Amino acid sequence: MALIKEAISNQDLRYKKMLYPDKKAGFSKVVKPFTFAVVLPKNKEIKKEKIQIDESTSIKDLVFYFSPDSYISFFVSSFDLEFMINLYNGLLELGSFDFGGGIILHHQKTHLIKEKKINSNEVIFKTLSPILIESKDGTPLLPVDGQLDDFNLHFNEIHKRIFKDTRGKEPMEEFFLEPILIKKSVVKHTLKGFREQTGKPYMMLTCFDGCFKLKGNPEDLQLLYQAGVGLRTGQGFGMVEVV
């Protein structure tokens, strides 16, 4: 998220402020028109060590070590051409990015991947990052036997709100998600605002990964493919690929 903000800030500060308005000044949160996923190298060493989240917060958890010749893949998807242009040019100019704590990302190359066109009223997706679906009270929901109707009810409620904010109108048809091969995924997720409000180092989010069939209007399905499925897509959740 910090890398994305830095890249677009260097290209168009006006656009960055529009996408990330100052909440302290009374501006409301904006639904982000993008999603992303980070793919780590297969060959890695895993150790449990201290992680310094910020100046006052540290935890002990899993740390990944890579060989010097390995690299991290960073995928970003959006329906907003202005966002993609600013991000693409910003990443090209950055060269490297300092995350703090001695972690520096060195940029190797950036290239565009042609997206697939969805022409039918059903598509099979696989997740590149976990999908988060919650009820309004924050109860996590999974597409499993016995809960599928309730899950799809909240799935549609969430995307009606998102579509109205991003596209100006609700989905043209109801969505129906049918699991094929999924698994529960519990994600430890941290944000500065959450730490300041709760005093906790991170939140626990119950998501799901895997492969599923999604039915709906082709145009609506295309938008989900481009901008992500579910909640917190701008924080790296809900990125999918067409199978």
Side-chain angles (χ1 to χ4, degrees), residues 15 18-19 21 28-34 79-80 158 161-167 227 230 232-234:
Y15 180 80
M18 183 274 292
L19 203 58
S28 58
K29 183 171 65 174
V30 174
V31 175
K32 305 302 182 286
F34 65 89
F79 63 87
D80 187 338
I158 287 169
R161 298 196 302 269
I162 292 174
F163 273 51
K164 286 185 72 174
D165 286 342
T166 57
R167 194 174 66 179
R232 299 183 183 268
T233 54

PDB file of all heavy atoms in Angstrom, residues 15 18-19 21 28-34 79-80 158 161-167 227 230 232-234:
ATOM      1  N   TYR A  15      -4.401  13.424  -7.856  1.00  0.00           N
ATOM      2  CA  TYR A  15      -5.104  12.138  -7.943  1.00  0.00           C
ATOM      3  C   TYR A  15      -4.902  11.327  -6.665  1.00  0.00           C
ATOM      4  O   TYR A  15      -5.833  10.692  -6.173  1.00  0.00           O
ATOM      5  CB  TYR A  15      -4.603  11.354  -9.156  1.00  0.00           C
ATOM      6  CG  TYR A  15      -5.283  10.010  -9.329  1.00  0.00           C
ATOM      7  CD1 TYR A  15      -6.547   9.928  -9.912  1.00  0.00           C
ATOM      8  CD2 TYR A  15      -4.679   8.838  -8.893  1.00  0.00           C
ATOM      9  CE1 TYR A  15      -7.186   8.701 -10.053  1.00  0.00           C
ATOM     10  CE2 TYR A  15      -5.301   7.610  -9.035  1.00  0.00           C
ATOM     11  CZ  TYR A  15      -6.552   7.550  -9.612  1.00  0.00           C
ATOM     12  OH  TYR A  15      -7.184   6.335  -9.735  1.00  0.00           O
ATOM     13  N   MET A  18      -7.174  12.575  -4.034  1.00  0.00           N
ATOM     14  CA  MET A  18      -8.550  12.180  -4.322  1.00  0.00           C
ATOM     15  C   MET A  18      -8.803  10.730  -3.909  1.00  0.00           C
ATOM     16  O   MET A  18      -9.844  10.392  -3.368  1.00  0.00           O
ATOM     17  CB  MET A  18      -8.829  12.377  -5.810  1.00  0.00           C
ATOM     18  CG  MET A  18     -10.264  12.073  -6.246  1.00  0.00           C
ATOM     19  SD  MET A  18     -10.556  10.326  -6.639  1.00  0.00           S
ATOM     20  CE  MET A  18      -9.556  10.166  -8.125  1.00  0.00           C
ATOM     21  N   LEU A  19      -7.801   9.881  -4.150  1.00  0.00           N
ATOM     22  CA  LEU A  19      -7.935   8.459  -3.834  1.00  0.00           C
ATOM     23  C   LEU A  19      -7.772   8.195  -2.344  1.00  0.00           C
ATOM     24  O   LEU A  19      -8.403   7.295  -1.789  1.00  0.00           O
ATOM     25  CB  LEU A  19      -6.887   7.670  -4.627  1.00  0.00           C
ATOM     26  CG  LEU A  19      -7.155   6.196  -4.897  1.00  0.00           C
ATOM     27  CD1 LEU A  19      -8.462   6.008  -5.664  1.00  0.00           C
ATOM     28  CD2 LEU A  19      -6.000   5.579  -5.676  1.00  0.00           C
ATOM     29  N   PRO A  21      -8.201  10.585   0.596  1.00  0.00           N
ATOM     30  CA  PRO A  21      -8.511  11.894   1.197  1.00  0.00           C
ATOM     31  C   PRO A  21      -8.144  11.930   2.679  1.00  0.00           C
ATOM     32  O   PRO A  21      -8.046  10.899   3.341  1.00  0.00           O
ATOM     33  CB  PRO A  21     -10.032  12.009   0.993  1.00  0.00           C
ATOM     34  CG  PRO A  21     -10.508  10.594   0.916  1.00  0.00           C
ATOM     35  CD  PRO A  21      -9.418   9.831   0.236  1.00  0.00           C
ATOM     36  N   SER A  28     -14.665  11.736   3.534  1.00  0.00           N
ATOM     37  CA  SER A  28     -15.054  10.333   3.686  1.00  0.00           C
ATOM     38  C   SER A  28     -14.114   9.420   2.903  1.00  0.00           C
ATOM     39  O   SER A  28     -13.450   9.842   1.955  1.00  0.00           O
ATOM     40  CB  SER A  28     -16.489  10.119   3.202  1.00  0.00           C
ATOM     41  OG  SER A  28     -16.619  10.515   1.853  1.00  0.00           O
ATOM     42  N   LYS A  29     -14.069   8.158   3.321  1.00  0.00           N
ATOM     43  CA  LYS A  29     -13.210   7.174   2.670  1.00  0.00           C
ATOM     44  C   LYS A  29     -13.697   6.893   1.255  1.00  0.00           C
ATOM     45  O   LYS A  29     -14.888   6.858   0.980  1.00  0.00           O
ATOM     46  CB  LYS A  29     -13.216   5.886   3.496  1.00  0.00           C
ATOM     47  CG  LYS A  29     -12.309   4.807   2.989  1.00  0.00           C
ATOM     48  CD  LYS A  29     -12.204   3.656   3.989  1.00  0.00           C
ATOM     49  CE  LYS A  29     -13.521   2.939   4.159  1.00  0.00           C
ATOM     50  NZ  LYS A  29     -13.400   1.749   5.018  1.00  0.00           N
ATOM     51  N   VAL A  30     -12.763   6.692   0.341  1.00  0.00           N
ATOM     52  CA  VAL A  30     -13.077   6.429  -1.063  1.00  0.00           C
ATOM     53  C   VAL A  30     -12.828   4.952  -1.365  1.00  0.00           C
ATOM     54  O   VAL A  30     -11.789   4.396  -0.982  1.00  0.00           O
ATOM     55  CB  VAL A  30     -12.200   7.300  -1.994  1.00  0.00           C
ATOM     56  CG1 VAL A  30     -12.417   6.920  -3.451  1.00  0.00           C
ATOM     57  CG2 VAL A  30     -12.496   8.773  -1.777  1.00  0.00           C
ATOM     58  N   VAL A  31     -13.787   4.301  -2.043  1.00  0.00           N
ATOM     59  CA  VAL A  31     -13.586   2.912  -2.464  1.00  0.00           C
ATOM     60  C   VAL A  31     -12.489   2.885  -3.519  1.00  0.00           C
ATOM     61  O   VAL A  31     -12.547   3.610  -4.514  1.00  0.00           O
ATOM     62  CB  VAL A  31     -14.892   2.316  -3.039  1.00  0.00           C
ATOM     63  CG1 VAL A  31     -14.635   0.912  -3.586  1.00  0.00           C
ATOM     64  CG2 VAL A  31     -15.969   2.268  -1.956  1.00  0.00           C
ATOM     65  N   LYS A  32     -11.487   2.060  -3.291  1.00  0.00           N
ATOM     66  CA  LYS A  32     -10.340   2.034  -4.195  1.00  0.00           C
ATOM     67  C   LYS A  32     -10.681   1.257  -5.467  1.00  0.00           C
ATOM     68  O   LYS A  32     -11.288   0.186  -5.403  1.00  0.00           O
ATOM     69  CB  LYS A  32      -9.132   1.399  -3.505  1.00  0.00           C
ATOM     70  CG  LYS A  32      -8.764   2.064  -2.172  1.00  0.00           C
ATOM     71  CD  LYS A  32      -8.460   3.542  -2.345  1.00  0.00           C
ATOM     72  CE  LYS A  32      -8.049   4.185  -1.035  1.00  0.00           C
ATOM     73  NZ  LYS A  32      -9.177   4.384  -0.096  1.00  0.00           N
ATOM     74  N   PRO A  33     -10.262   1.762  -6.639  1.00  0.00           N
ATOM     75  CA  PRO A  33     -10.604   1.127  -7.928  1.00  0.00           C
ATOM     76  C   PRO A  33      -9.610   0.052  -8.344  1.00  0.00           C
ATOM     77  O   PRO A  33      -9.419  -0.197  -9.529  1.00  0.00           O
ATOM     78  CB  PRO A  33     -10.562   2.303  -8.900  1.00  0.00           C
ATOM     79  CG  PRO A  33      -9.457   3.159  -8.363  1.00  0.00           C
ATOM     80  CD  PRO A  33      -9.539   3.030  -6.853  1.00  0.00           C
ATOM     81  N   PHE A  34      -8.950  -0.576  -7.380  1.00  0.00           N
ATOM     82  CA  PHE A  34      -7.909  -1.535  -7.733  1.00  0.00           C
ATOM     83  C   PHE A  34      -7.786  -2.622  -6.673  1.00  0.00           C
ATOM     84  O   PHE A  34      -8.333  -2.523  -5.572  1.00  0.00           O
ATOM     85  CB  PHE A  34      -6.553  -0.831  -7.891  1.00  0.00           C
ATOM     86  CG  PHE A  34      -6.015  -0.234  -6.602  1.00  0.00           C
ATOM     87  CD1 PHE A  34      -5.220  -0.983  -5.750  1.00  0.00           C
ATOM     88  CD2 PHE A  34      -6.309   1.073  -6.250  1.00  0.00           C
ATOM     89  CE1 PHE A  34      -4.729  -0.444  -4.569  1.00  0.00           C
ATOM     90  CE2 PHE A  34      -5.827   1.623  -5.071  1.00  0.00           C
ATOM     91  CZ  PHE A  34      -5.035   0.864  -4.226  1.00  0.00           C
ATOM     92  N   PHE A  79      -9.736  -1.126 -13.103  1.00  0.00           N
ATOM     93  CA  PHE A  79     -10.523  -0.694 -14.264  1.00  0.00           C
ATOM     94  C   PHE A  79     -10.275   0.778 -14.571  1.00  0.00           C
ATOM     95  O   PHE A  79     -10.716   1.297 -15.592  1.00  0.00           O
ATOM     96  CB  PHE A  79     -12.024  -0.905 -14.017  1.00  0.00           C
ATOM     97  CG  PHE A  79     -12.565  -0.083 -12.874  1.00  0.00           C
ATOM     98  CD1 PHE A  79     -13.016   1.205 -13.065  1.00  0.00           C
ATOM     99  CD2 PHE A  79     -12.615  -0.608 -11.590  1.00  0.00           C
ATOM    100  CE1 PHE A  79     -13.503   1.973 -12.015  1.00  0.00           C
ATOM    101  CE2 PHE A  79     -13.103   0.137 -10.530  1.00  0.00           C
ATOM    102  CZ  PHE A  79     -13.541   1.434 -10.745  1.00  0.00           C
ATOM    103  N   ASP A  80      -9.531   1.464 -13.688  1.00  0.00           N
ATOM    104  CA  ASP A  80      -9.303   2.907 -13.795  1.00  0.00           C
ATOM    105  C   ASP A  80      -7.995   3.158 -14.543  1.00  0.00           C
ATOM    106  O   ASP A  80      -6.908   2.937 -14.013  1.00  0.00           O
ATOM    107  CB  ASP A  80      -9.244   3.508 -12.391  1.00  0.00           C
ATOM    108  CG  ASP A  80      -9.167   5.027 -12.407  1.00  0.00           C
ATOM    109  OD1 ASP A  80      -8.747   5.593 -13.434  1.00  0.00           O
ATOM    110  OD2 ASP A  80      -9.528   5.651 -11.389  1.00  0.00           O
ATOM    111  N   ILE A 158     -22.713  -6.380  -0.357  1.00  0.00           N
ATOM    112  CA  ILE A 158     -21.401  -5.720  -0.397  1.00  0.00           C
ATOM    113  C   ILE A 158     -21.125  -5.132  -1.775  1.00  0.00           C
ATOM    114  O   ILE A 158     -20.714  -3.976  -1.918  1.00  0.00           O
ATOM    115  CB  ILE A 158     -20.289  -6.725  -0.014  1.00  0.00           C
ATOM    116  CG1 ILE A 158     -20.344  -7.020   1.479  1.00  0.00           C
ATOM    117  CG2 ILE A 158     -18.902  -6.191  -0.413  1.00  0.00           C
ATOM    118  CD1 ILE A 158     -19.474  -8.182   1.912  1.00  0.00           C
ATOM    119  N   ARG A 161     -23.063  -1.964  -2.872  1.00  0.00           N
ATOM    120  CA  ARG A 161     -22.480  -0.728  -2.334  1.00  0.00           C
ATOM    121  C   ARG A 161     -21.219  -0.345  -3.108  1.00  0.00           C
ATOM    122  O   ARG A 161     -21.027   0.825  -3.470  1.00  0.00           O
ATOM    123  CB  ARG A 161     -22.142  -0.897  -0.844  1.00  0.00           C
ATOM    124  CG  ARG A 161     -23.340  -1.175   0.049  1.00  0.00           C
ATOM    125  CD  ARG A 161     -22.988  -0.950   1.509  1.00  0.00           C
ATOM    126  NE  ARG A 161     -21.875  -1.786   1.960  1.00  0.00           N
ATOM    127  CZ  ARG A 161     -22.023  -2.991   2.501  1.00  0.00           C
ATOM    128  NH1 ARG A 161     -23.247  -3.516   2.637  1.00  0.00           N
ATOM    129  NH2 ARG A 161     -20.978  -3.680   2.908  1.00  0.00           N
ATOM    130  N   ILE A 162     -20.363  -1.321  -3.382  1.00  0.00           N
ATOM    131  CA  ILE A 162     -19.108  -1.035  -4.079  1.00  0.00           C
ATOM    132  C   ILE A 162     -19.368  -0.548  -5.497  1.00  0.00           C
ATOM    133  O   ILE A 162     -18.768   0.422  -5.963  1.00  0.00           O
ATOM    134  CB  ILE A 162     -18.215  -2.294  -4.089  1.00  0.00           C
ATOM    135  CG1 ILE A 162     -17.736  -2.607  -2.666  1.00  0.00           C
ATOM    136  CG2 ILE A 162     -17.024  -2.099  -5.021  1.00  0.00           C
ATOM    137  CD1 ILE A 162     -16.974  -3.906  -2.547  1.00  0.00           C
ATOM    138  N   PHE A 163     -20.279  -1.205  -6.205  1.00  0.00           N
ATOM    139  CA  PHE A 163     -20.574  -0.818  -7.591  1.00  0.00           C
ATOM    140  C   PHE A 163     -21.173   0.588  -7.660  1.00  0.00           C
ATOM    141  O   PHE A 163     -20.864   1.351  -8.582  1.00  0.00           O
ATOM    142  CB  PHE A 163     -21.533  -1.826  -8.226  1.00  0.00           C
ATOM    143  CG  PHE A 163     -20.844  -3.013  -8.861  1.00  0.00           C
ATOM    144  CD1 PHE A 163     -19.907  -3.748  -8.156  1.00  0.00           C
ATOM    145  CD2 PHE A 163     -21.146  -3.408 -10.146  1.00  0.00           C
ATOM    146  CE1 PHE A 163     -19.270  -4.843  -8.729  1.00  0.00           C
ATOM    147  CE2 PHE A 163     -20.513  -4.493 -10.738  1.00  0.00           C
ATOM    148  CZ  PHE A 163     -19.577  -5.215 -10.020  1.00  0.00           C
ATOM    149  N   LYS A 164     -22.024   0.941  -6.705  1.00  0.00           N
ATOM    150  CA  LYS A 164     -22.622   2.277  -6.696  1.00  0.00           C
ATOM    151  C   LYS A 164     -21.558   3.340  -6.491  1.00  0.00           C
ATOM    152  O   LYS A 164     -21.622   4.423  -7.082  1.00  0.00           O
ATOM    153  CB  LYS A 164     -23.690   2.369  -5.606  1.00  0.00           C
ATOM    154  CG  LYS A 164     -24.983   1.637  -5.958  1.00  0.00           C
ATOM    155  CD  LYS A 164     -26.060   1.861  -4.917  1.00  0.00           C
ATOM    156  CE  LYS A 164     -26.609   3.268  -4.984  1.00  0.00           C
ATOM    157  NZ  LYS A 164     -27.766   3.462  -4.076  1.00  0.00           N
ATOM    158  N   ASP A 165     -20.550   3.029  -5.655  1.00  0.00           N
ATOM    159  CA  ASP A 165     -19.481   3.989  -5.393  1.00  0.00           C
ATOM    160  C   ASP A 165     -18.512   4.099  -6.563  1.00  0.00           C
ATOM    161  O   ASP A 165     -18.025   5.196  -6.871  1.00  0.00           O
ATOM    162  CB  ASP A 165     -18.712   3.597  -4.127  1.00  0.00           C
ATOM    163  CG  ASP A 165     -19.491   3.885  -2.853  1.00  0.00           C
ATOM    164  OD1 ASP A 165     -20.452   4.676  -2.921  1.00  0.00           O
ATOM    165  OD2 ASP A 165     -19.155   3.318  -1.805  1.00  0.00           O
ATOM    166  N   THR A 166     -18.206   2.982  -7.213  1.00  0.00           N
ATOM    167  CA  THR A 166     -17.189   2.993  -8.268  1.00  0.00           C
ATOM    168  C   THR A 166     -17.753   3.213  -9.663  1.00  0.00           C
ATOM    169  O   THR A 166     -17.133   3.884 -10.491  1.00  0.00           O
ATOM    170  CB  THR A 166     -16.399   1.667  -8.262  1.00  0.00           C
ATOM    171  OG1 THR A 166     -17.298   0.564  -8.418  1.00  0.00           O
ATOM    172  CG2 THR A 166     -15.627   1.501  -6.964  1.00  0.00           C
ATOM    173  N   ARG A 167     -18.952   2.649  -9.932  1.00  0.00           N
ATOM    174  CA  ARG A 167     -19.520   2.727 -11.276  1.00  0.00           C
ATOM    175  C   ARG A 167     -20.751   3.620 -11.351  1.00  0.00           C
ATOM    176  O   ARG A 167     -21.189   4.003 -12.441  1.00  0.00           O
ATOM    177  CB  ARG A 167     -19.875   1.310 -11.764  1.00  0.00           C
ATOM    178  CG  ARG A 167     -20.164   1.211 -13.244  1.00  0.00           C
ATOM    179  CD  ARG A 167     -20.370  -0.218 -13.694  1.00  0.00           C
ATOM    180  NE  ARG A 167     -21.570  -0.837 -13.123  1.00  0.00           N
ATOM    181  CZ  ARG A 167     -21.978  -2.065 -13.380  1.00  0.00           C
ATOM    182  NH1 ARG A 167     -21.269  -2.838 -14.190  1.00  0.00           N
ATOM    183  NH2 ARG A 167     -23.071  -2.563 -12.824  1.00  0.00           N
ATOM    184  N   ALA A 227     -11.263  -5.115 -10.576  1.00  0.00           N
ATOM    185  CA  ALA A 227     -11.113  -4.339  -9.333  1.00  0.00           C
ATOM    186  C   ALA A 227     -11.045  -5.189  -8.077  1.00  0.00           C
ATOM    187  O   ALA A 227     -10.751  -4.668  -6.997  1.00  0.00           O
ATOM    188  CB  ALA A 227     -12.268  -3.333  -9.204  1.00  0.00           C
ATOM    189  N   GLY A 230     -14.946  -8.708  -3.112  1.00  0.00           N
ATOM    190  CA  GLY A 230     -15.095  -8.610  -1.665  1.00  0.00           C
ATOM    191  C   GLY A 230     -14.598  -7.301  -1.086  1.00  0.00           C
ATOM    192  O   GLY A 230     -14.478  -6.282  -1.775  1.00  0.00           O
ATOM    193  N   ARG A 232     -11.925  -4.757   1.274  1.00  0.00           N
ATOM    194  CA  ARG A 232     -10.504  -4.413   1.455  1.00  0.00           C
ATOM    195  C   ARG A 232      -9.646  -4.727   0.220  1.00  0.00           C
ATOM    196  O   ARG A 232      -8.476  -5.083   0.343  1.00  0.00           O
ATOM    197  CB  ARG A 232      -9.925  -5.098   2.695  1.00  0.00           C
ATOM    198  CG  ARG A 232     -10.604  -4.697   3.998  1.00  0.00           C
ATOM    199  CD  ARG A 232      -9.931  -5.346   5.203  1.00  0.00           C
ATOM    200  NE  ARG A 232     -10.606  -5.029   6.436  1.00  0.00           N
ATOM    201  CZ  ARG A 232     -10.311  -4.010   7.241  1.00  0.00           C
ATOM    202  NH1 ARG A 232      -9.323  -3.201   6.914  1.00  0.00           N
ATOM    203  NH2 ARG A 232     -10.985  -3.803   8.364  1.00  0.00           N
ATOM    204  N   THR A 233     -10.221  -4.594  -0.959  1.00  0.00           N
ATOM    205  CA  THR A 233      -9.444  -4.882  -2.172  1.00  0.00           C
ATOM    206  C   THR A 233      -8.260  -3.926  -2.311  1.00  0.00           C
ATOM    207  O   THR A 233      -7.200  -4.322  -2.797  1.00  0.00           O
ATOM    208  CB  THR A 233     -10.340  -4.794  -3.421  1.00  0.00           C
ATOM    209  OG1 THR A 233     -11.007  -3.527  -3.441  1.00  0.00           O
ATOM    210  CG2 THR A 233     -11.369  -5.917  -3.418  1.00  0.00           C
ATOM    211  N   GLY A 234      -8.411  -2.677  -1.895  1.00  0.00           N
ATOM    212  CA  GLY A 234      -7.335  -1.711  -1.966  1.00  0.00           C
ATOM    213  C   GLY A 234      -6.224  -1.978  -0.954  1.00  0.00           C
ATOM    214  O   GLY A 234      -5.194  -1.301  -0.970  1.00  0.00           O
TER     215      GLY A 234
END
